[in-house]
Amino acid sequence: MDPMESVQYNGFETSEENSGYDDHGWKEVVEYNGFETSDANYHEYNAWKEVVHRKRNQKQKQADQAANGDVSDKIVPDGNKQVEDQRQAAKLVAADVEEEHKKPKPRKKNKNKNKKTKVSLSEAAAKIDPSHLAEFLVKQELEPGTSKLVEFLEYFETALSQVSYVQFPWLEMFNNNCPLSTVIDVPLSYIPEPVYKASADWIDQLPDISVSTFVKWAHKNIRTDLAEEQEVIINCEKDEFHEKVALHVALAMVLRRRPHSLIFLLPAMWTDISAKYRKLDEVPLTVWMIAQASQGDLSVGLYSCAHTLLPLVGNKKCNSQSRDYILQLVENILSNPEASTILVNGTVIEGKRLIPPHVFEDLLRLTFPPSSARVKDTERFESIYPLLKEVALAGAPGSETMKQVTQQILTSTLKLAGEGNAILANEATSIAIWLLAEDADCFNLWDSVYEENLEASVALLKKLVDEWKERSLKLSSPPSDILTLKRTIKSFRIKNEKAITEGRADASLYIDADKSCKVIMGRLSRGSGCLINTAITAVLLATAGAAAANMMVSFL
């Protein structure tokens, strides 16, 4: 792409000599499937282009004046002998200058006079005057929506212009697998609290589309820099590094203050990592971005991780370093003291589960592998599994959405229980029984797939028999569920009898299943009245307890 043409797409000034930002992904912002090509997006993109085009013309005009500011500017067009003399004199001067440049020049002993003083990121950030920043941000309220983030980013480019790559080697942060605990607060740990607060409060007021578009554009630019590391380091040595620092600071602020802006980018991130590019070396950048968002909203953090990174962990192409980094992210999110309350009570974002059923299925396999397949990370999965399981199964009982979730998970658990892994089957059948107790419609689903999942059904029936005392009350509440259970067991017995009579190859499994069915039917027949009475008694006791509590309150 022609460098001059790329300016129309960027959202930031570029040229052949200063390409700190390029058009990578910016033109796609309006076209990419993560954003609908609506009028709002179209105008948003044009507004960015208009601001950048104006800034580019101003800078280009200054550059042209500087480039043409020699003696030839003062020459008058042809007209008389004086003009010709001036022209000849100018040529002689130019020739002398050219000859002088060809001669080797001795090195100057002291070059430090022309060098800019380089400082650390914390030193540069400490020089930012919060009141000046606040005044600047107030002025931006009068600007068009898209230009606000342009000016905001350029403000920090100027403020951090003295920071060099030596002081802030950000590429190493993503390429050397640094522990997440050491990079999660970078670069914002270097930004003074008053500066961050003023910026964050201002970011809160920006339109959603502006924020989401900026996040997508910034992600594309940083990802491209990682792919072209050597060239980026060279550019950083040419005093263009402040642009990179400012971009990281602005992106971290936006993700923490507006974490939901990351959700619109997830389809593109998943496509880039898992399908289109298959670049697992981009995992550290993705982890860092999700970690920033999780600082603002734990639910968004877990949602983003579950929908983009957790599916990679079980993939054979996922190396140990990427798996470790992803686990560090999940562990960091779940380590928050409020994680259980926040995540269990907020299980849905944008109509989608924090832990989708297919991701929960992968999690079960990773947490309960065969004994011979256990690895070093298995214990880490065992540590995070209980809370993730609670989030995956949480929801409003009886709701239409929850019915779909329970039935999807039941289908998965029946499949897992029949894979021949006894450890996994034990956990899968326990979850299946819990689902049957939560939603009686699951019995109908089980009946419909009974023969397709015969081995799993045998294990599930046996577990019901073994744990009848603990499970029977829950399975019979409300009492109408007893009828559903009876009907399902009768249906199983009919299938069993037919298969045994026909002498099928798997008749032994049907025989085992039928033994459990007979035991359950016997208990239901003998104890159905008792179960109903027990359920009614439990309700009466609960009601009596509530009445007694009210009387005590009235008495006091």
Side-chain angles (χ1 to χ4, degrees), residues 24-45 48 149 207-220 251 254-255 258 260-269 271-272 289:
H24 295 288
W26 183 250
K27 184 176 179 181
E28 298 177 11
V29 167
V30 181
E31 303 171 352
Y32 199 86
N33 61 0
F35 296 87
E36 297 180 359
T37 52
S38 62
D39 291 338
N41 286 337
Y42 179 76
H43 292 308
E44 183 77 11
Y45 165 67
W48 278 84
L149 277 168
D208 290 340
I209 183 62
S210 298
V211 174
S212 297
T213 303
F214 169 76
V215 169
K216 177 177 173 61
W217 175 84
H219 170 253
K220 286 281 186 179
L251 180 58
V254 169
L255 288 173
R258 300 288 289 276
H260 280 73
S261 62
L262 183 62
I263 292 176
F264 300 102
L265 181 59
L266 294 181
M269 294 174 75
T271 299
D272 290 346
M289 291 181 67

Short mmCIF file of all heavy atoms in Angstrom, two decimals, residues 24-45 48 149 207-220 251 254-255 258 260-269 271-272 289:
data_model
loop_
_atom_site.label_atom_id
_atom_site.label_comp_id
_atom_site.label_asym_id
_atom_site.label_seq_id
_atom_site.Cartn_x
_atom_site.Cartn_y
_atom_site.Cartn_z
N HIS A 24 -2.82 -1.46 9.44
CA HIS A 24 -3.13 -2.86 9.69
C HIS A 24 -4.47 -2.99 10.39
O HIS A 24 -4.60 -2.67 11.55
CB HIS A 24 -2.04 -3.52 10.52
CG HIS A 24 -0.73 -3.58 9.81
ND1 HIS A 24 -0.50 -4.43 8.77
CD2 HIS A 24 0.40 -2.86 9.98
CE1 HIS A 24 0.74 -4.25 8.33
NE2 HIS A 24 1.29 -3.31 9.05
N GLY A 25 -5.44 -3.48 9.70
CA GLY A 25 -6.72 -3.76 10.32
C GLY A 25 -7.64 -2.56 10.41
O GLY A 25 -8.81 -2.70 10.70
N TRP A 26 -7.12 -1.31 10.17
CA TRP A 26 -7.99 -0.15 10.38
C TRP A 26 -9.08 -0.09 9.33
O TRP A 26 -10.24 0.18 9.64
CB TRP A 26 -7.16 1.11 10.37
CG TRP A 26 -8.03 2.28 10.66
CD1 TRP A 26 -8.44 3.27 9.85
CD2 TRP A 26 -8.67 2.54 11.92
NE1 TRP A 26 -9.27 4.12 10.50
CE2 TRP A 26 -9.43 3.72 11.76
CE3 TRP A 26 -8.69 1.90 13.15
CZ2 TRP A 26 -10.18 4.25 12.79
CZ3 TRP A 26 -9.43 2.44 14.17
CH2 TRP A 26 -10.17 3.60 13.98
N LYS A 27 -8.72 -0.34 8.06
CA LYS A 27 -9.74 -0.33 7.02
C LYS A 27 -10.79 -1.40 7.30
O LYS A 27 -11.96 -1.24 6.98
CB LYS A 27 -9.10 -0.57 5.65
CG LYS A 27 -10.09 -0.49 4.50
CD LYS A 27 -9.39 -0.64 3.18
CE LYS A 27 -10.37 -0.58 2.02
NZ LYS A 27 -9.71 -0.76 0.72
N GLU A 28 -10.36 -2.51 7.95
CA GLU A 28 -11.28 -3.60 8.23
C GLU A 28 -12.27 -3.25 9.32
O GLU A 28 -13.26 -3.93 9.51
CB GLU A 28 -10.51 -4.85 8.66
CG GLU A 28 -9.57 -5.38 7.61
CD GLU A 28 -8.78 -6.57 8.14
OE1 GLU A 28 -9.13 -7.07 9.21
OE2 GLU A 28 -7.83 -6.98 7.47
N VAL A 29 -12.01 -2.18 10.08
CA VAL A 29 -12.87 -1.87 11.21
C VAL A 29 -14.31 -1.73 10.78
O VAL A 29 -15.23 -2.16 11.44
CB VAL A 29 -12.39 -0.58 11.91
CG1 VAL A 29 -13.43 -0.08 12.88
CG2 VAL A 29 -11.08 -0.84 12.62
N VAL A 30 -14.52 -1.11 9.61
CA VAL A 30 -15.88 -0.90 9.13
C VAL A 30 -16.42 -2.17 8.48
O VAL A 30 -17.61 -2.40 8.46
CB VAL A 30 -15.91 0.27 8.13
CG1 VAL A 30 -17.32 0.51 7.64
CG2 VAL A 30 -15.38 1.53 8.79
N GLU A 31 -15.51 -3.03 7.95
CA GLU A 31 -15.94 -4.17 7.18
C GLU A 31 -15.93 -5.47 7.94
O GLU A 31 -16.60 -6.42 7.57
CB GLU A 31 -15.04 -4.32 5.95
CG GLU A 31 -15.01 -3.06 5.08
CD GLU A 31 -13.95 -3.14 4.00
OE1 GLU A 31 -13.15 -4.09 4.05
OE2 GLU A 31 -13.93 -2.26 3.14
N TYR A 32 -15.17 -5.53 9.05
CA TYR A 32 -14.94 -6.82 9.71
C TYR A 32 -16.23 -7.33 10.33
O TYR A 32 -17.09 -6.58 10.76
CB TYR A 32 -13.86 -6.68 10.79
CG TYR A 32 -13.26 -8.01 11.16
CD1 TYR A 32 -12.20 -8.52 10.42
CD2 TYR A 32 -13.78 -8.75 12.20
CE1 TYR A 32 -11.64 -9.73 10.73
CE2 TYR A 32 -13.23 -9.97 12.52
CZ TYR A 32 -12.16 -10.45 11.78
OH TYR A 32 -11.63 -11.66 12.11
N ASN A 33 -16.37 -8.67 10.40
CA ASN A 33 -17.61 -9.26 10.91
C ASN A 33 -17.85 -8.94 12.37
O ASN A 33 -18.96 -9.11 12.86
CB ASN A 33 -17.63 -10.77 10.70
CG ASN A 33 -16.50 -11.45 11.45
OD1 ASN A 33 -15.71 -10.80 12.12
ND2 ASN A 33 -16.42 -12.76 11.32
N GLY A 34 -16.83 -8.47 13.07
CA GLY A 34 -17.05 -8.09 14.46
C GLY A 34 -17.82 -6.80 14.59
O GLY A 34 -18.29 -6.45 15.65
N PHE A 35 -17.95 -6.02 13.50
CA PHE A 35 -18.68 -4.76 13.52
C PHE A 35 -19.62 -4.72 12.34
O PHE A 35 -19.22 -4.96 11.21
CB PHE A 35 -17.73 -3.56 13.43
CG PHE A 35 -16.80 -3.46 14.59
CD1 PHE A 35 -15.59 -4.15 14.59
CD2 PHE A 35 -17.13 -2.70 15.69
CE1 PHE A 35 -14.75 -4.06 15.66
CE2 PHE A 35 -16.29 -2.62 16.76
CZ PHE A 35 -15.10 -3.29 16.74
N GLU A 36 -20.86 -4.38 12.55
CA GLU A 36 -21.80 -4.29 11.45
C GLU A 36 -21.49 -3.03 10.63
O GLU A 36 -21.14 -1.99 11.16
CB GLU A 36 -23.23 -4.21 12.00
CG GLU A 36 -23.64 -5.47 12.77
CD GLU A 36 -25.04 -5.35 13.30
OE1 GLU A 36 -25.65 -4.29 13.07
OE2 GLU A 36 -25.50 -6.30 13.91
N THR A 37 -21.67 -3.12 9.32
CA THR A 37 -21.39 -2.00 8.45
C THR A 37 -22.60 -1.08 8.42
O THR A 37 -23.30 -0.96 7.42
CB THR A 37 -21.06 -2.49 7.03
OG1 THR A 37 -22.11 -3.36 6.61
CG2 THR A 37 -19.76 -3.22 7.01
N SER A 38 -22.89 -0.44 9.55
CA SER A 38 -24.03 0.45 9.67
C SER A 38 -23.62 1.87 9.38
O SER A 38 -22.42 2.19 9.26
CB SER A 38 -24.60 0.36 11.09
OG SER A 38 -23.63 0.78 12.01
N ASP A 39 -24.59 2.78 9.27
CA ASP A 39 -24.29 4.18 9.03
C ASP A 39 -23.45 4.75 10.16
O ASP A 39 -22.55 5.56 9.94
CB ASP A 39 -25.59 4.98 8.90
CG ASP A 39 -26.33 4.63 7.63
OD1 ASP A 39 -25.68 4.11 6.70
OD2 ASP A 39 -27.55 4.89 7.56
N ALA A 40 -23.74 4.32 11.40
CA ALA A 40 -22.98 4.83 12.54
C ALA A 40 -21.52 4.48 12.42
O ALA A 40 -20.64 5.32 12.63
CB ALA A 40 -23.55 4.26 13.84
N ASN A 41 -21.20 3.25 12.03
CA ASN A 41 -19.81 2.85 11.86
C ASN A 41 -19.16 3.60 10.70
O ASN A 41 -18.00 3.99 10.76
CB ASN A 41 -19.74 1.35 11.58
CG ASN A 41 -20.00 0.54 12.82
OD1 ASN A 41 -19.82 1.04 13.92
ND2 ASN A 41 -20.44 -0.69 12.65
N TYR A 42 -19.92 3.82 9.63
CA TYR A 42 -19.37 4.50 8.46
C TYR A 42 -18.98 5.93 8.81
O TYR A 42 -17.89 6.40 8.48
CB TYR A 42 -20.41 4.48 7.34
CG TYR A 42 -19.96 5.19 6.09
CD1 TYR A 42 -19.05 4.58 5.23
CD2 TYR A 42 -20.42 6.46 5.79
CE1 TYR A 42 -18.62 5.22 4.08
CE2 TYR A 42 -19.99 7.11 4.65
CZ TYR A 42 -19.10 6.50 3.79
OH TYR A 42 -18.68 7.15 2.66
N HIS A 43 -19.88 6.62 9.52
CA HIS A 43 -19.57 8.00 9.91
C HIS A 43 -18.44 8.02 10.92
O HIS A 43 -17.62 8.95 10.93
CB HIS A 43 -20.82 8.66 10.47
CG HIS A 43 -21.89 8.88 9.44
ND1 HIS A 43 -21.65 9.51 8.24
CD2 HIS A 43 -23.20 8.53 9.44
CE1 HIS A 43 -22.77 9.56 7.54
NE2 HIS A 43 -23.74 8.97 8.23
N GLU A 44 -18.40 7.04 11.80
CA GLU A 44 -17.32 6.95 12.78
C GLU A 44 -15.97 6.85 12.08
O GLU A 44 -15.02 7.54 12.42
CB GLU A 44 -17.55 5.72 13.67
CG GLU A 44 -16.54 5.55 14.78
CD GLU A 44 -16.80 6.50 15.92
OE1 GLU A 44 -17.86 7.14 15.95
OE2 GLU A 44 -15.90 6.63 16.77
N TYR A 45 -15.89 6.01 11.08
CA TYR A 45 -14.65 5.82 10.34
C TYR A 45 -14.27 7.09 9.59
O TYR A 45 -13.12 7.52 9.60
CB TYR A 45 -14.83 4.66 9.36
CG TYR A 45 -13.76 4.58 8.30
CD1 TYR A 45 -12.46 4.27 8.65
CD2 TYR A 45 -14.07 4.81 6.97
CE1 TYR A 45 -11.48 4.19 7.69
CE2 TYR A 45 -13.10 4.75 6.01
CZ TYR A 45 -11.81 4.42 6.36
OH TYR A 45 -10.85 4.35 5.40
N TRP A 48 -12.73 9.75 11.88
CA TRP A 48 -11.31 9.47 12.13
C TRP A 48 -10.49 9.94 10.94
O TRP A 48 -9.46 10.59 11.09
CB TRP A 48 -11.10 7.97 12.34
CG TRP A 48 -11.39 7.47 13.70
CD1 TRP A 48 -12.58 7.11 14.20
CD2 TRP A 48 -10.45 7.26 14.75
NE1 TRP A 48 -12.46 6.70 15.49
CE2 TRP A 48 -11.17 6.77 15.86
CE3 TRP A 48 -9.07 7.44 14.87
CZ2 TRP A 48 -10.57 6.46 17.06
CZ3 TRP A 48 -8.45 7.12 16.06
CH2 TRP A 48 -9.20 6.64 17.14
N LEU A 149 -10.33 10.46 20.90
CA LEU A 149 -9.31 9.45 21.19
C LEU A 149 -8.02 9.71 20.44
O LEU A 149 -6.93 9.37 20.92
CB LEU A 149 -9.84 8.05 20.87
CG LEU A 149 -10.69 7.42 21.97
CD1 LEU A 149 -11.41 6.18 21.48
CD2 LEU A 149 -9.83 7.08 23.18
N PRO A 207 -18.54 7.38 23.46
CA PRO A 207 -19.54 6.48 22.86
C PRO A 207 -18.97 5.06 22.72
O PRO A 207 -17.76 4.88 22.51
CB PRO A 207 -19.79 7.10 21.47
CG PRO A 207 -19.31 8.50 21.57
CD PRO A 207 -18.19 8.49 22.56
N ASP A 208 -19.83 4.07 22.83
CA ASP A 208 -19.40 2.67 22.75
C ASP A 208 -18.67 2.36 21.45
O ASP A 208 -17.66 1.67 21.44
CB ASP A 208 -20.62 1.74 22.89
CG ASP A 208 -21.19 1.75 24.29
OD1 ASP A 208 -20.46 2.15 25.21
OD2 ASP A 208 -22.36 1.36 24.45
N ILE A 209 -19.21 2.88 20.33
CA ILE A 209 -18.63 2.54 19.03
C ILE A 209 -17.22 3.11 18.90
O ILE A 209 -16.33 2.45 18.34
CB ILE A 209 -19.53 3.06 17.89
CG1 ILE A 209 -18.97 2.63 16.53
CG2 ILE A 209 -19.72 4.55 17.96
CD1 ILE A 209 -18.91 1.14 16.33
N SER A 210 -16.97 4.28 19.45
CA SER A 210 -15.63 4.87 19.39
C SER A 210 -14.63 4.03 20.18
O SER A 210 -13.52 3.77 19.71
CB SER A 210 -15.65 6.30 19.94
OG SER A 210 -16.48 7.14 19.18
N VAL A 211 -15.05 3.61 21.36
CA VAL A 211 -14.17 2.82 22.22
C VAL A 211 -13.87 1.46 21.60
O VAL A 211 -12.72 1.02 21.54
CB VAL A 211 -14.80 2.66 23.62
CG1 VAL A 211 -13.95 1.73 24.48
CG2 VAL A 211 -14.95 4.01 24.30
N SER A 212 -14.91 0.78 21.12
CA SER A 212 -14.72 -0.55 20.54
C SER A 212 -13.84 -0.50 19.30
O SER A 212 -12.99 -1.37 19.09
CB SER A 212 -16.08 -1.17 20.19
OG SER A 212 -16.86 -1.35 21.36
N THR A 213 -14.05 0.53 18.48
CA THR A 213 -13.25 0.67 17.27
C THR A 213 -11.79 0.93 17.60
O THR A 213 -10.89 0.37 16.97
CB THR A 213 -13.80 1.83 16.41
OG1 THR A 213 -15.17 1.58 16.11
CG2 THR A 213 -13.03 1.94 15.10
N PHE A 214 -11.55 1.74 18.61
CA PHE A 214 -10.17 2.02 19.03
C PHE A 214 -9.49 0.75 19.54
O PHE A 214 -8.33 0.48 19.22
CB PHE A 214 -10.16 3.10 20.11
CG PHE A 214 -8.82 3.25 20.78
CD1 PHE A 214 -7.78 3.91 20.13
CD2 PHE A 214 -8.58 2.72 22.04
CE1 PHE A 214 -6.53 4.04 20.73
CE2 PHE A 214 -7.34 2.84 22.64
CZ PHE A 214 -6.31 3.51 21.98
N VAL A 215 -10.21 -0.05 20.35
CA VAL A 215 -9.63 -1.28 20.90
C VAL A 215 -9.24 -2.22 19.77
O VAL A 215 -8.16 -2.82 19.79
CB VAL A 215 -10.62 -1.96 21.86
CG1 VAL A 215 -10.14 -3.36 22.24
CG2 VAL A 215 -10.79 -1.12 23.12
N LYS A 216 -10.10 -2.35 18.78
CA LYS A 216 -9.79 -3.24 17.65
C LYS A 216 -8.57 -2.73 16.89
O LYS A 216 -7.67 -3.49 16.55
CB LYS A 216 -10.99 -3.34 16.72
CG LYS A 216 -10.72 -4.20 15.49
CD LYS A 216 -11.97 -4.34 14.64
CE LYS A 216 -11.64 -5.04 13.33
NZ LYS A 216 -11.10 -6.40 13.53
N TRP A 217 -8.53 -1.43 16.63
CA TRP A 217 -7.41 -0.86 15.89
C TRP A 217 -6.10 -1.00 16.65
O TRP A 217 -5.07 -1.37 16.09
CB TRP A 217 -7.70 0.61 15.61
CG TRP A 217 -6.57 1.32 14.96
CD1 TRP A 217 -6.27 1.37 13.63
CD2 TRP A 217 -5.55 2.07 15.63
NE1 TRP A 217 -5.13 2.10 13.44
CE2 TRP A 217 -4.67 2.55 14.63
CE3 TRP A 217 -5.31 2.39 16.96
CZ2 TRP A 217 -3.57 3.33 14.95
CZ3 TRP A 217 -4.21 3.17 17.27
CH2 TRP A 217 -3.35 3.62 16.27
N ALA A 218 -6.12 -0.72 17.96
CA ALA A 218 -4.91 -0.82 18.78
C ALA A 218 -4.41 -2.26 18.82
O ALA A 218 -3.20 -2.52 18.73
CB ALA A 218 -5.20 -0.31 20.19
N HIS A 219 -5.33 -3.22 18.95
CA HIS A 219 -4.94 -4.64 18.97
C HIS A 219 -4.25 -5.03 17.67
O HIS A 219 -3.23 -5.73 17.67
CB HIS A 219 -6.20 -5.49 19.19
CG HIS A 219 -5.97 -6.95 19.01
ND1 HIS A 219 -6.42 -7.65 17.91
CD2 HIS A 219 -5.30 -7.87 19.78
CE1 HIS A 219 -6.06 -8.92 18.02
NE2 HIS A 219 -5.38 -9.08 19.13
N LYS A 220 -4.78 -4.58 16.54
CA LYS A 220 -4.18 -4.89 15.24
C LYS A 220 -2.77 -4.33 15.14
O LYS A 220 -1.85 -4.99 14.65
CB LYS A 220 -5.05 -4.32 14.12
CG LYS A 220 -6.34 -5.07 13.86
CD LYS A 220 -6.07 -6.34 13.06
CE LYS A 220 -7.37 -7.02 12.68
NZ LYS A 220 -7.12 -8.23 11.88
N LEU A 251 -4.54 2.00 25.63
CA LEU A 251 -5.30 0.75 25.50
C LEU A 251 -5.60 0.14 26.87
O LEU A 251 -6.72 -0.33 27.12
CB LEU A 251 -4.54 -0.24 24.63
CG LEU A 251 -5.21 -1.61 24.41
CD1 LEU A 251 -6.58 -1.44 23.77
CD2 LEU A 251 -4.32 -2.52 23.56
N VAL A 254 -8.39 2.14 28.53
CA VAL A 254 -9.70 1.90 27.91
C VAL A 254 -10.24 0.53 28.32
O VAL A 254 -11.42 0.39 28.66
CB VAL A 254 -9.60 2.01 26.38
CG1 VAL A 254 -10.87 1.49 25.71
CG2 VAL A 254 -9.35 3.45 25.97
N LEU A 255 -9.40 -0.51 28.29
CA LEU A 255 -9.86 -1.86 28.63
C LEU A 255 -10.29 -1.97 30.09
O LEU A 255 -11.25 -2.67 30.41
CB LEU A 255 -8.76 -2.87 28.34
CG LEU A 255 -8.49 -3.16 26.86
CD1 LEU A 255 -7.26 -4.05 26.70
CD2 LEU A 255 -9.69 -3.81 26.19
N ARG A 258 -13.54 0.47 30.30
CA ARG A 258 -14.65 0.05 29.45
C ARG A 258 -14.43 -1.40 29.01
O ARG A 258 -14.22 -1.70 27.83
CB ARG A 258 -14.74 0.97 28.23
CG ARG A 258 -14.98 2.44 28.56
CD ARG A 258 -16.39 2.70 29.05
NE ARG A 258 -17.32 2.55 27.97
CZ ARG A 258 -17.61 3.53 27.10
NH1 ARG A 258 -17.02 4.72 27.22
NH2 ARG A 258 -18.47 3.34 26.14
N HIS A 260 -16.26 -3.96 28.54
CA HIS A 260 -17.17 -4.57 27.58
C HIS A 260 -16.76 -4.30 26.13
O HIS A 260 -17.23 -4.98 25.22
CB HIS A 260 -18.60 -4.07 27.80
CG HIS A 260 -19.30 -4.78 28.93
ND1 HIS A 260 -18.98 -4.54 30.25
CD2 HIS A 260 -20.27 -5.73 28.93
CE1 HIS A 260 -19.75 -5.30 31.02
NE2 HIS A 260 -20.52 -6.04 30.26
N SER A 261 -15.89 -3.30 25.92
CA SER A 261 -15.43 -3.01 24.56
C SER A 261 -14.64 -4.18 23.98
O SER A 261 -14.54 -4.33 22.76
CB SER A 261 -14.56 -1.75 24.55
OG SER A 261 -13.39 -1.94 25.35
N LEU A 262 -14.09 -5.04 24.86
CA LEU A 262 -13.32 -6.18 24.39
C LEU A 262 -14.21 -7.26 23.79
O LEU A 262 -13.78 -8.02 22.91
CB LEU A 262 -12.51 -6.76 25.55
CG LEU A 262 -11.56 -7.92 25.23
CD1 LEU A 262 -10.49 -7.49 24.24
CD2 LEU A 262 -10.92 -8.45 26.51
N ILE A 263 -15.46 -7.34 24.24
CA ILE A 263 -16.36 -8.41 23.79
C ILE A 263 -16.57 -8.36 22.28
O ILE A 263 -16.64 -9.40 21.62
CB ILE A 263 -17.71 -8.30 24.53
CG1 ILE A 263 -17.50 -8.63 26.01
CG2 ILE A 263 -18.75 -9.24 23.92
CD1 ILE A 263 -18.75 -8.48 26.87
N PHE A 264 -16.65 -7.14 21.71
CA PHE A 264 -16.87 -7.01 20.27
C PHE A 264 -15.67 -7.48 19.46
O PHE A 264 -15.78 -7.75 18.28
CB PHE A 264 -17.20 -5.55 19.92
CG PHE A 264 -18.44 -5.05 20.60
CD1 PHE A 264 -18.35 -4.23 21.72
CD2 PHE A 264 -19.69 -5.42 20.14
CE1 PHE A 264 -19.50 -3.78 22.36
CE2 PHE A 264 -20.84 -4.97 20.78
CZ PHE A 264 -20.74 -4.15 21.89
N LEU A 265 -14.52 -7.56 20.12
CA LEU A 265 -13.30 -7.98 19.43
C LEU A 265 -13.09 -9.49 19.50
O LEU A 265 -12.30 -10.03 18.73
CB LEU A 265 -12.09 -7.25 20.06
CG LEU A 265 -10.70 -7.51 19.49
CD1 LEU A 265 -10.65 -7.14 18.02
CD2 LEU A 265 -9.66 -6.71 20.26
N LEU A 266 -13.79 -10.18 20.39
CA LEU A 266 -13.54 -11.60 20.62
C LEU A 266 -13.66 -12.47 19.37
O LEU A 266 -12.83 -13.35 19.16
CB LEU A 266 -14.48 -12.13 21.71
CG LEU A 266 -14.25 -11.54 23.11
CD1 LEU A 266 -15.23 -12.16 24.09
CD2 LEU A 266 -12.83 -11.77 23.57
N PRO A 267 -14.68 -12.29 18.51
CA PRO A 267 -14.74 -13.13 17.30
C PRO A 267 -13.48 -13.02 16.45
O PRO A 267 -12.97 -14.02 15.95
CB PRO A 267 -15.97 -12.60 16.56
CG PRO A 267 -16.82 -12.00 17.62
CD PRO A 267 -15.87 -11.40 18.60
N ALA A 268 -12.96 -11.80 16.32
CA ALA A 268 -11.74 -11.61 15.53
C ALA A 268 -10.54 -12.23 16.21
O ALA A 268 -9.69 -12.86 15.57
CB ALA A 268 -11.50 -10.11 15.30
N MET A 269 -10.45 -12.09 17.54
CA MET A 269 -9.32 -12.66 18.28
C MET A 269 -9.33 -14.18 18.17
O MET A 269 -8.29 -14.81 17.98
CB MET A 269 -9.39 -12.24 19.75
CG MET A 269 -9.20 -10.76 19.97
SD MET A 269 -9.46 -10.27 21.70
CE MET A 269 -7.96 -10.85 22.45
N THR A 271 -10.70 -16.00 15.78
CA THR A 271 -10.37 -16.39 14.41
C THR A 271 -8.87 -16.29 14.16
O THR A 271 -8.26 -17.18 13.58
CB THR A 271 -11.11 -15.47 13.40
OG1 THR A 271 -12.52 -15.63 13.60
CG2 THR A 271 -10.77 -15.85 11.97
N ASP A 272 -8.27 -15.20 14.63
CA ASP A 272 -6.85 -14.99 14.41
C ASP A 272 -6.00 -16.07 15.07
O ASP A 272 -5.05 -16.58 14.49
CB ASP A 272 -6.43 -13.61 14.94
CG ASP A 272 -7.00 -12.49 14.10
OD1 ASP A 272 -7.47 -12.78 12.98
OD2 ASP A 272 -6.98 -11.34 14.56
N MET A 289 -4.50 -8.41 27.39
CA MET A 289 -5.69 -7.59 27.14
C MET A 289 -6.87 -8.06 27.99
O MET A 289 -7.59 -7.24 28.57
CB MET A 289 -6.05 -7.64 25.65
CG MET A 289 -5.04 -6.94 24.76
SD MET A 289 -5.50 -6.97 23.00
CE MET A 289 -6.97 -5.95 23.00
#
